[in-house]
Amino acid sequence: MQSRSPKITIKMGGKRPDMTPPAVKSIDETPEKDQSAPHQGPSALSNNDRKETDENALDGSSSEYSSDDEDKNKQMVVYDHSLNGSGVIKAVKNPKSNKPRSASKKPPEVGAFTVQCANCLKWRLIPDQEKYEVIREHITDQPFLCETTRQWNRVVSCDDPTDIEQDGTRIWAIDKPDIARPPPGWKRILRLRNEGSSKFADVYYTSPTGAKLRSLPDVFRYFESHPEHSQGLGPGQFSFQIPRPLEKSYVKKRPAQMAAPKTPETLEPSPVEPLAWAGPAENLNLQLAEPLSWAGPVEDKDGMPAYLKTPEFDFENQAAKKAKRDEVNHL
DNA sequence: GCCACCGGTGGC
DNA sequence: GCCACCGGTGGC
C-alpha cells in the first residue's frame, strides 16, 4: 500500500495540565503488513535512517543502538510527553529484518531513543539507553528540554529542526514515564515481539549474576537466593511495564471472550447446551477480520495530523503509582 | 537441553 | 481492555 506519512504531534488531552505527569505515546508506522514479503523496498529507508542519525549529531557517543545494521528498515519509536509535551522516544529496527542466517523472523529491536522537548515539541535523539533511562526516570518532575542535550555536549535549541520525523519508516510506540532506572549492575531489557503477537513486548531484568528475571515475583525469588545482591533494593526499582504501539493493530487482538453461560438467577442447574455457543463464535470471527478497517485515513477534528491520536493517559493513576513506588522505595 | 519468543489466563 | 505472570515450544 501507499505508505502514509503521519506527523507526530502531541495532542493535549482534554484535561488541564496541572501537576500532570508526562503522557506517553507513540506512533507506529507500519504501512502494510504484507504477509509474504518479509523485506522489501525499504532498504532505501535505511539510508534515511543513517542520514538522519548523522545529521543529528548522534555521532561520537552513539551507542550500540545506532544504525550499524543495514536492515533497519523500520524503526519503532517510543515517546512520552508531559504537560506541554515532553516526550521520550525509542526507535526500533525493522520488524521484518531479513537476516540471511535465520529463516525465523527476528523481532524488531530498539534502534534509537528520542525525547520530545516540553517547549517546542520537537524530537531530540538521545545518544544511548542509559541517558534515555535517566531522562525517563524523572520525566514527570523534570520535563525534557532541548537544552538538556547539553548534558552530552550537544548544542541544540528549540529553533533547530526536529531530529526525527514521522515519515512512515518507523514504528512508534508509547513508553511509560518515570520508570526507575535499573540498579547498578542490573540491566533492563525490552524485547519487542513480532507484529501479530498477542503482546507487544516483554521486559526482563538481568541481574549482576546474569540471571534473567521476568516478573516481580522472579525478582523476589532472586533476592531470596541472592541476598548479597538485594541490598538496598526494592520492588520500586523494577518495572515490567512495556510500551504500547501506537498502531494497535500491531498486536493481535485477543479473541472476544466466549459469552459466559448465563447463570440463571435461580439456583436450578441449567443443562449444558453446546449449540448455543454458535452465535458468539461467529461474532468472534468477524471481530478478528475487523482490524483492516484501520487502514483508512483518520481525520482529526482538531486539525491535528491524521493517523495520530494521543492515546489517553491516566495522569492520576500514574501519579498514584509513582507515589506508591516512592513509598515502597523508602522501605 | 537451553532459551528466545509467543500464547494464554486470571485479576483488575 | 489492560496488565502481570508464567507455561509451552520451536529452533538452535
Side-chain angles (χ1 to χ4, degrees):
Chain A
M1 311 319 149
Q2 79 293 19
S3 73
R4 308 177 252 149
S5 62
K7 312 259 169 44
I8 196 174
T9 312
I10 296 170
K11 176 171 163 187
M12 292 311 138
K15 294 199 169 172
R16 175 167 315 159
D18 47 4
M19 67 150 283
T20 47
V24 194
K25 51 182 79 174
S26 76
I27 298 187
D28 171 14
E29 247 4 270
T30 325
E32 74 276 313
K33 30 176 129 182
D34 41 66
Q35 38 273 72
S36 55
H39 61 285
Q40 251 172 6
S43 48
L45 296 177
S46 74
N47 292 336
N48 291 344
D49 288 336
R50 187 161 285 116
K51 190 173 88 191
E52 207 165 58
T53 301
D54 293 345
E55 282 171 355
N56 291 306
L58 265 189
D59 42 33
S61 54
S62 91
S63 68
E64 64 266 57
Y65 299 97
S66 60
S67 51
D68 296 320
D69 285 309
E70 61 238 300
D71 57 355
K72 192 200 301 183
N73 302 337
K74 297 174 184 175
Q75 290 186 325
M76 169 238 228
V77 185
V78 183
Y79 77 92
D80 65 86
H81 82 100
S82 58
L83 14 164
N84 286 329
S86 112
V88 188
I89 314 181
K90 298 171 172 185
V92 157
K93 287 200 310 187
N94 175 14
K96 319 233 166 136
S97 70
N98 56 333
K99 291 251 168 99
R101 61 174 154 87
S102 77
S104 68
K105 47 179 184 177
K106 286 249 179 190
E109 295 171 17
V110 174
F113 302 87
T114 312
V115 180
Q116 190 177 38
C117 172
N119 282 342
C120 66
L121 308 187
K122 289 169 183 164
W123 298 100
R124 300 302 171 206
L125 287 161
I126 308 303
D128 57 58
Q129 181 172 359
E130 287 70 28
K131 292 181 180 65
Y132 174 83
E133 286 176 334
V134 169
I135 293 167
R136 182 179 56 190
E137 181 173 31
H138 301 296
I139 192 73
T140 298
D141 299 329
Q142 304 169 21
F144 178 85
L145 302 171
C146 285
E147 297 87 68
T148 310
T149 60
R150 297 196 181 137
Q151 288 175 9
W152 51 90
N153 300 321
R154 181 183 178 200
V155 179
V156 67
S157 79
C158 291
D159 295 331
D160 295 313
T162 185
D163 285 1
I164 189 171
E165 306 232 21
Q166 276 64 58
D167 54 5
T169 66
R170 295 174 186 79
I171 302 165
W172 290 69
I174 307 173
D175 203 4
K176 302 290 164 61
D178 303 326
I179 292 176
R181 112 188 76 159
W186 293 74
K187 275 189 167 180
R188 185 177 189 270
I189 314 286
L190 174 66
R191 301 290 293 177
L192 301 171
R193 294 189 175 189
N194 275 308
E195 187 170 1
S197 287
S198 60
K199 279 174 48 182
F200 180 58
D202 296 287
V203 168
Y204 65 88
Y205 284 82
T206 54
S207 76
T209 60
K212 181 177 169 182
L213 310 175
R214 297 194 297 161
S215 66
L216 270 182
D218 260 3
V219 171
F220 293 139
R221 286 188 284 267
Y222 180 83
F223 285 168
E224 284 178 14
S225 57
H226 298 77
E228 71 277 14
H229 286 114
S230 66
Q231 298 302 320
L233 298 185
Q237 268 122 335
F238 299 85
S239 168
F240 291 88
Q241 289 187 296
I242 61 173
R244 284 196 279 170
L246 185 74
E247 179 141 340
K248 294 179 183 169
S249 62
Y250 188 94
V251 174
K252 185 175 61 183
K253 257 191 193 169
R254 185 170 158 187
Q257 285 292 343
M258 202 69 83
K262 284 180 187 155
T263 48
E265 304 293 339
T266 72
L267 292 178
E268 276 181 328
S270 56
V272 177
E273 191 42 278
L275 288 180
W277 293 11
E282 284 171 8
N283 290 339
L284 184 152
N285 288 337
L286 287 175
Q287 287 195 8
L288 286 176
E290 184 52 32
L292 286 180
S293 60
W294 281 89
V298 178
E299 295 298 339
D300 194 284
K301 325 113 200 186
D302 301 319
M304 301 296 291
Y307 313 119
L308 227 208
K309 277 282 200 180
T310 300
E312 302 204 312
F313 188 77
D314 189 348
F315 292 113
E316 290 178 6
N317 195 27
Q318 281 299 329
K321 281 184 179 174
K322 183 176 191 308
K324 192 172 175 183
R325 257 200 326 272
D326 293 343
E327 183 183 320
V328 164
N329 281 328
H330 278 105
L331 296 181

